[in-house]
Every structure is written in C-alpha cells, then in structure tokens.
C-alpha cells in the first residue's frame, strides 16, 4: 500500500433515483479516479428516520476526506435536526475533527410553499464549513438564491457549481442511427400534486372538469397526438424512479389505439449503478421533453434540444441559469399548438441549441473543473 494512499467517504442518495446515479458516476470519474484513493460509498438513505439521531462516535475518523453530495439533500426535512440536510453530519463534527470535508452539488429541493425545518442547523453547518475553509458547493439550479432567501443570510462561503450530471453524456456512445426519430418523454410522478401546483399553475383554460392529474395526462397525450400527426416518430418514456412508470402508463393508455400500440414505449427502470445504460437512451433521442431537474440537466449536457416542463423551482432555475429560458414552459402557459410547433421546429436543430448553450457552457464547465481541482488539492494537503 502506498504511503500516499487516501481514504475517502462519499455520502449521497444511492438507491432510488437514476438522476443521482448520473451525479455519482461523474464524481467517481472526475474526482475519485486516482488509483491512490480508496473510496467508501455511503447511502445517505440508510441514515434517515430513526437512524439519523446519532452517528457512531468517530464516524469520520477513518477518512482523510468526506464528500457529501450531490442530489437534492436540502429538502427541509423535520428529522434533519443536526445538519439541516439529509445526512446527520453536524457543525460540531466539522469543527471538532482534523478530518476534511467538502459538499459538492447539493440542491435546495423544497417544493413551492413547503415548510423549511431546521434552518438554524443548516446555517450552523454552513458556518462551520466557512470556519474550516472547506468547499460548500450547491448545484446551479437557483439553489443559492433560494437558500439566501430562505435563510435570510448572505452565505458568503456558499458557491454554485455546475451539476455533475451535466457531464454524463461524455461517457456515452454517439449511436444515434437512421431509425425513426424518437422523442423522449420524462414525467415525474412523485409529489405530482405539488409539481402541478408550481407557480399557481392553472388548468382552467383547458376547460376540463377533471382533477389536475387527469388534466395533465390529457395535455401530454394531446401533445403527443398533435406531434404524431405531423411527424413520423416514436415516443420513449424515460422513468427516473419506479413510480414514474405509473404516470407514463396512464398517458399511453389515454392515447389512441394506433399511437399507443406502435409509437409509444416505456424504458425499463435502472438502478442508479446502471446509469450509463439508462442515459444512453436519452442520447439516442432527437428531442427530450422533461419534468425532473436531472432530466433537464443531463439532456442539456448532451446538447439534445430539450423542453423543460417547469413544475419545480429547480427545473426552471436550471434552465434560466443556462440562459435557456425559451426552452422551459410553465403549465399555466402551456399551449399545445405552440409546444407542438416548438418541438417540430427544434427537433432537428441540435446545432442551434448547442450554439445558444455554448458560451454559458464553456464558462461553467471551466468553473466546475476549477472547483473539482480545489477539492483534489484539499485531499492532498496535509492535515
């Protein structure tokens, strides 16, 4: 064993969402790939609920560096009494040990009007990172602005970083074939009521006497039918978590028989460890309509023309941060004819999409590499 061998723990949600899998894969490749690093992967979900009260004494002592993130770990949970994030590291843990810490790409993940519990614990955690001069990087989906507003604090040591999932496409093959054009559809079914209420979304103009979920299903299915009449294409539903399959199935069941049987398909779901197999399907689409944050982040990073359905602060926030405001739409501004025309106009315009993204992408990618190098330097520094 080399005398320079470094032991690192990486703490993040690892077992539910394929979007988090993209983040972890990129961090493994860009941050932890040094052969002298021994990385212990810890699932933060194992420490929720009753298990979150206390960590074993000396939990962090076995590691030269503990990296926390990415993912939506700032979710305002009641149980996050020690840290204000979805892992029970406390400010005392940070200041009372010689070990090093870095937070990378975590996000403010609260829904609109959701109560934010344990704000003071989060402020104390942030201040402990400032005291030790450790990196505290939140993802670039408007999280920093929302945190400043929620915590009523300048948070001078908290910085934004391009979400690592943006780079997942660099590990994928360019295998788009001459087969029929495919449009990716990524729908989010967890907390659907809260997503559909984003920014006071109103479906009243659609004149449906149905609940919001059924109205939304009608909107998506009508959009698919509209596009299908003007373009010979397939529609591939891309569930990030198993619950997404149910909503995708409901949309397909509401399509006419011909479209449902011959043009609409649901991808299998993958464990986050099989992230490349899943996002290869994104890369083979000519256009993606997405609802989740990492749907927008990963698809945009692949430079695939993408329309984000803004049903959460992080979705609209990311598209705005990337200067792609025109590529996101709120449901209360959703016009099926306009969206259909938008998709058809942009489906073969990946170069136009790439050019609009180019300047911001170059700046943020360089900033990402600089911040990753800062963490690498932190690993190599003597305690």
């Amino acid at each position: 064993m080399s005398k320079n061998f470094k032991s690192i723990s990486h703490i993040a949600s690892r077992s539910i969402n394929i979007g988090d899998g993209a983040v972890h894969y990129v961090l493994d490749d860009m941050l932890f790939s040094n052969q002298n690093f021994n990385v212990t992967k810890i699932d933060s979900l194992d420490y929720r609920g009753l298990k979150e009260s206390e960590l074993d004494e000396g939990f962090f002592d076995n590691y030269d560096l503990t990296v926390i993130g990415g993912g939506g770990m700032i979710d305002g949970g009641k149980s996050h009494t020690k840290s204000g994030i979805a892992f029970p590291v406390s400010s005392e843990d940070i200041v009372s040990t010689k070990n090093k810490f870095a937070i990378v790409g975590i996000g403010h993940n609260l829904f609109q009007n959701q109560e934010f519990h344990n704000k003071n614990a989060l402020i104390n955690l942030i201040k402990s990172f400032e005291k030790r001069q450790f990196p505290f990087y939140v993802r670039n989906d408007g999280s920093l602005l929302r945190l400043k507003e929620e915590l009523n604090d300048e948070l001078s040591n908290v910085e934004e970083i391009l979400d690592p999932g943006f780079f997942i496409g660099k590990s994928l093959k360019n295998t788009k074939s001459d087969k029929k054009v495919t449009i990716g559809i990524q729908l989010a079914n967890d907390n659907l009521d809260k997503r559909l209420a984003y920014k006071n979304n109103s479906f009243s103009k659609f004149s449906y006497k149905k609940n919001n979920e059924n109205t939304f299903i009608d909107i998506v299915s009508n959009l698919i039918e509209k596009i299908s009449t003007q373009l010979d294409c397939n529609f591939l539903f891309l569930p990030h978590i198993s619950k997404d399959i149910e909503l995708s199935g409901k949309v397909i069941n509401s399509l006419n028989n011909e479209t449902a049987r011959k043009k609409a398909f649901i991808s299998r779901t993958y464990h986050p460890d099989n992230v490349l197999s899943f996002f290869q399907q994104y890369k083979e689409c000519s256009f993606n309509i997405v609802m989740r944050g990492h749907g927008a982040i990963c698809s945009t990073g692949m430079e695939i023309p993408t329309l984000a359905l803004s049903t959460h602060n992080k979705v609209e926030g990311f598209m705005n941060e990337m200067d792609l405001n025109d590529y996101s739409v709120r449901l209360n501004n959703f016009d099926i004819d306009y969206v259909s025309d938008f998709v058809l106009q942009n489906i073969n315009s990946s170069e136009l999409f790439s050019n609009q993204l180019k300047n911001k992408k170059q700046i943020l990618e360089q900033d990402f590499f600089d911040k990753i190098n800062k963490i690498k330097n932190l690993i190599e520094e003597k305690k």
Side-chain angles (χ1 to χ4, degrees), residues 269-318:
T269 54
Y270 288 84
H271 187 277
D273 287 346
N274 301 111
V275 63
L276 295 185
S277 297
F278 179 79
F279 280 104
Q280 185 65 49
Q281 298 171 107
Y282 262 79
K283 192 153 188 172
E284 293 173 7
C285 292
S286 298
F287 192 101
N288 289 317
I289 300 170
V290 301
M291 196 169 168
R292 290 189 177 275
H294 279 112
I297 290 164
C298 297
S299 181
T300 299
M302 297 177 208
E303 300 186 7
I304 299 169
T306 301
L307 180 67
L309 305 183
S310 296
T311 54
H312 194 288
N313 283 316
K314 62 187 176 184
V315 179
E316 185 169 294
F318 174 77

Side-chain angles (χ1 to χ4, degrees), residues 82-148:
K82 291 185 70 177
S83 62
I85 67 173
F87 189 80
V89 59
S90 69
S91 55
E92 290 79 13
D93 292 322
I94 306 301
V95 298
S96 65
T97 178
K98 294 181 180 180
N99 301 80
K100 301 169 186 175
F101 295 83
I103 285 180
V104 184
I106 67 173
H108 176 287
N109 214 37
L110 282 78
F111 287 93
Q112 182 181 338
N113 300 322
Q114 181 181 342
E115 185 175 359
F116 196 145
H117 297 278
N118 301 305
K119 292 181 181 181
N120 288 335
L122 179 55
I123 290 174
N124 290 336
L125 182 69
I126 291 170
K127 298 306 180 185
S128 70
F129 269 69
E130 182 177 29
K131 184 175 181 179
R132 295 289 307 276
Q133 297 183 326
F134 291 150
F136 197 113
Y137 301 144
V138 296
R139 64 190 180 199
N140 68 321
D141 61 356
S143 283
L144 181 55
L145 177 60
R146 296 195 296 277
L147 278 176
K148 287 181 176 181

Side-chain angles (χ1 to χ4, degrees), residues 19-135:
D20 291 334
V23 174
H24 308 152
Y25 184 91
V26 172
L27 288 178
D28 285 345
D29 181 49
M30 295 188 178
L31 183 55
F32 303 134
S33 58
N34 188 308
Q35 62 182 355
N36 289 326
F37 294 167
N38 178 28
V39 182
T40 300
K41 299 178 181 180
I42 299 172
D43 193 339
S44 61
L45 296 176
D46 291 338
Y47 292 85
R48 295 181 75 93
L50 295 176
K51 294 182 180 180
E52 188 170 77
S53 57
E54 293 291 340
L55 294 174
D56 293 337
E57 186 175 353
F59 181 89
F60 300 106
D61 292 347
N62 295 323
Y63 307 108
D64 297 293
L65 173 71
T66 294
V67 175
I68 302 173
M73 298 185 77
I74 305 174
D75 60 10
K78 286 184 178 181
S79 64
H80 306 336
T81 55
K82 291 185 70 177
S83 62
I85 67 173
F87 189 80
V89 59
S90 69
S91 55
E92 290 79 13
D93 292 322
I94 306 301
V95 298
S96 65
T97 178
K98 294 181 180 180
N99 301 80
K100 301 169 186 175
F101 295 83
I103 285 180
V104 184
I106 67 173
H108 176 287
N109 214 37
L110 282 78
F111 287 93
Q112 182 181 338
N113 300 322
Q114 181 181 342
E115 185 175 359
F116 196 145
H117 297 278
N118 301 305
K119 292 181 181 181
N120 288 335
L122 179 55
I123 290 174
N124 290 336
L125 182 69
I126 291 170
K127 298 306 180 185
S128 70
F129 269 69
E130 182 177 29
K131 184 175 181 179
R132 295 289 307 276
Q133 297 183 326
F134 291 150

Side-chain angles (χ1 to χ4, degrees), residues 300 303-306 324 327 349-357:
T300 299
E303 300 186 7
I304 299 169
T306 301
L324 294 172
Y327 291 84
S349 302
S350 58
E351 185 175 348
L352 177 64
F353 185 80
S354 298
N355 287 338
Q356 185 158 343
L357 181 64

Side-chain angles (χ1 to χ4, degrees), residues 174-233:
N174 290 308
T175 59
K176 198 173 292 184
S177 67
D178 295 328
K179 296 184 297 184
K180 184 184 293 187
V181 167
T182 298
I183 296 174
I185 308 284
Q186 189 280 301
L187 304 179
N189 196 31
D190 57 328
N191 297 292
L192 184 61
D193 56 335
K194 296 175 182 177
R195 295 179 191 274
L196 298 184
Y198 176 70
K199 298 294 184 184
N200 299 314
N201 277 327
S202 172
F203 298 110
S204 59
K205 70 176 183 177
F206 294 99
S207 301
Y208 293 134
K209 295 182 179 179
K210 299 182 178 181
N211 62 35
N212 279 351
E213 178 183 345
N214 288 334
T215 301
F216 178 68
I217 289 168
D218 282 352
I219 291 170
V220 177
S221 62
N222 288 340
L223 174 63
I224 289 173
E225 297 288 10
K226 177 79 173 178
I227 294 171
S228 185
T229 61
Q230 300 176 68
L231 178 69
D232 185 20
C233 64

